[in-house]
């Protein structure tokens, strides 16, 4: 079964056209390299309801993994974690913890990311940083886990050996 991924960029400046979205296309390229299908992409402003609405729509559509990029920092309009928590049925803290721990290999500021990960219906939702480098590094830290997590959420609970990277 092919993994269906959706990628949501959260950025006021990209929405306004004052900055190009570099993280979304970088994630599309990486997800494609992994052999996953990019089922949807989107761009929304840093607004809780706009983010939450898109996360609900895409998890209702049954996409296996929904990756967000942007809005995980400490700026006043960084509200992605709050929007994500508002739609989650349950959080999976180990995923965000692993991304932050691995992020320390790249920057000592990785611990300032407030990104979360969790489940809504049969979808895994993961908040990634807004920079292309940070988004890709964080995804690479967890990408080996995603197929197994999605299998479990979608009821495929038989034991499968997944490669360790």
């Amino acid at each position: 079964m092919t993994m269906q991924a959706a990628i949501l960029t959260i950025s006021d400046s990209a929405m306004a056209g004052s900055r190009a979205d570099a993280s979304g296309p970088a994630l599309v390229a990486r997800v494609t390299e992994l052999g996953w299908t990019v089922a949807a992409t989107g761009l929304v402003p840093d607004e809780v309801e706009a983010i939450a609405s898109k996360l609900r729509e895409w998890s209702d559509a049954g996409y296996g993994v929904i990756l967000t990029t942007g809005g995980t920092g400490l700026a006043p309009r960084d509200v992605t974690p709050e929007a994500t928590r508002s739609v989650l049925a349950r959080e999976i803290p180990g995923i965000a913890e692993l991304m932050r721990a691995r992020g320390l290999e790249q920057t000592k500021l990785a611990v300032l990311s407030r990104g979360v990960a969790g489940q809504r219906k049969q979808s895994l939702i993961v908040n990634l940083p807004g920079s292309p480098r940070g988004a890709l590094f964080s995804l690479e830290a967890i990408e080996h886990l995603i197929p197994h997590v999605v299998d479990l959420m979608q009821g495929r609970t038989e034991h499968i050996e997944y490669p360790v990277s």
Side-chain angles (χ1 to χ4, degrees):
M1 176 174 248
T2 303
M3 175 76 64
Q4 291 224 326
I7 299 166
L8 181 63
T9 300
I10 296 136
S11 170
D12 287 337
S13 56
M15 279 295 297
S18 61
R19 181 182 64 84
D21 173 19
S23 297
L27 289 171
V28 167
R30 180 61 188 153
V31 162
T32 302
E33 287 173 8
L34 292 169
W36 303 350
T37 299
V38 178
T41 61
L43 174 64
V44 296
D46 291 278
E47 296 173 4
V48 171
E49 189 46 42
I51 299 163
S53 176
K54 189 58 71 173
L55 297 177
R56 284 190 297 270
E57 174 188 332
W58 285 353
S59 59
D60 289 349
Y63 300 143
V65 62
I66 301 167
L67 303 173
T68 71
T69 178
T72 62
L74 297 170
R77 290 199 40 90
D78 287 340
V79 295
T80 302
E82 290 78 12
T84 302
R85 280 190 181 101
S86 78
V87 303
L88 293 178
R90 55 186 171 174
E91 224 174 297
I92 309 170
I95 291 175
E97 291 165 5
L98 178 57
M99 289 189 300
R100 281 186 281 275
R102 287 287 309 279
L104 288 171
E105 297 170 13
Q106 187 178 39
T107 175
K108 61 185 173 186
L109 301 178
V111 296
L112 299 180
S113 173
R114 299 180 313 108
V116 298
Q119 178 179 3
R120 181 176 193 275
K121 297 190 173 185
Q122 294 183 329
S123 298
L124 171 64
I125 301 172
V126 179
N127 299 155
L128 301 171
S131 74
R133 184 173 175 225
L136 290 172
F137 197 83
S138 294
L139 177 57
E140 288 170 8
I142 62 164
E143 63 192 23
H144 66 285
L145 297 171
I146 292 174
H148 180 60
V149 172
V150 171
D151 277 348
L152 291 173
M153 288 191 292
Q154 294 182 353
R156 294 183 295 277
T157 58
E158 67 278 359
H159 180 74
I160 299 171
E161 288 295 326
Y162 290 93
V164 176
S165 53

